[in-house]
Amino acid sequence: MNRMTKLLMTLGLMLTATAAVAHPGHDVHTHSGFLSGLMHPMMGLDHLLAMAAIGFWSIRQSTAMKRGTPFFVVGGMVLGAAIAWAGVNMVGVEMGIAMSVLLAGILIATMAKLPAIVGGTLVALFMVTHGYAHGAEMTEGASLMAYMTGFVIATLAITFIGRGLGTLMLKADNRITRALGGVVAVIGGVLAAG
């Protein structure tokens, strides 16, 4: 089985996986902050696309940006969640999330290369809105550390799947990469308009 097949199978499983509930009628999120945190980033197309697109885009960036992207992603997520947990009201979160998808798609479609400081700041700002949403939607009574550990692991997994796909696409015709970016940007535009 080649790497592309494995990557696509992994992505498919992540998109279709559901939680196993041994005791029907009970909310799985109240039993495991970790599981709730792990599943939250995978349950929304906006989160999946933004994280995967950022990973995909980062592959064509400078070495510093490639290495730093996972840290920028997680740092932004944790900062956003901390803002929510501190009780600070952040306006425009949903629009910020949709715009992160739109802009990540544009970055891919245009094959934009940014200095690491600019790219890292942009990625972290994108992820603050996602982290805020994750923090605000944490299930009451869930362990904060378990929940955060779950969403950090899921975020990194999605980002690295995007990076894996981006690496495979380095050998493909650039028009395919641009088209994929265009599709992501259009979806981001639809999310922003909705």
Side-chain angles (χ1 to χ4, degrees):
M1 189 179 307
N2 67 27
R3 288 186 343 175
M4 177 64 115
T5 304
K6 287 179 186 176
L7 182 65
L8 291 174
M9 286 176 61
T10 302
L11 182 58
L13 288 172
M14 286 179 68
L15 291 173
T16 60
T18 58
V21 180
H23 305 285
H26 297 281
D27 186 351
V28 70
H29 299 298
T30 60
H31 297 296
S32 172
F34 175 78
L35 182 60
S36 179
L38 188 68
M39 295 305 294
H40 190 271
M42 297 185 202
M43 302 310 279
L45 180 63
D46 49 2
H47 297 306
L48 282 169
L49 282 177
M51 293 169 201
I54 287 167
F56 186 102
W57 170 77
S58 72
I59 290 301
R60 293 182 185 259
Q61 301 306 301
S62 68
T63 302
M65 187 63 205
K66 277 191 274 195
R67 289 183 182 159
T69 295
F71 299 104
F72 300 135
V73 168
V74 169
M77 287 286 289
V78 171
L79 176 60
I83 291 168
W85 294 329
V88 176
N89 186 25
M90 200 168 140
V91 296
V93 171
E94 291 302 319
M95 181 58 74
I97 290 170
M99 291 305 293
S100 73
V101 176
L102 172 67
L103 293 174
I106 290 170
L107 290 172
I108 293 169
T110 61
M111 301 181 97
K113 291 192 179 198
L114 300 177
I117 190 76
V118 174
T121 301
L122 192 59
V123 168
L125 288 174
F126 284 172
M127 298 318 294
V128 164
T129 58
H130 292 269
Y132 185 90
H134 293 322
E137 294 169 7
M138 183 174 84
T139 306
E140 191 174 329
S143 161
L144 186 131
M145 285 306 295
Y147 182 79
M148 185 168 59
T149 300
F151 80 66
V152 165
I153 289 171
T155 296
L156 285 173
I158 296 164
T159 303
F160 277 102
I161 287 172
R163 288 168 66 102
L165 184 57
T167 300
L168 291 173
M169 293 304 292
L170 286 173
K171 298 173 185 166
D173 186 331
N174 285 342
R175 289 177 293 186
I176 297 170
T177 295
R178 290 180 187 279
L180 285 172
V183 168
V184 171
V186 167
I187 293 170
V190 169
L191 292 170

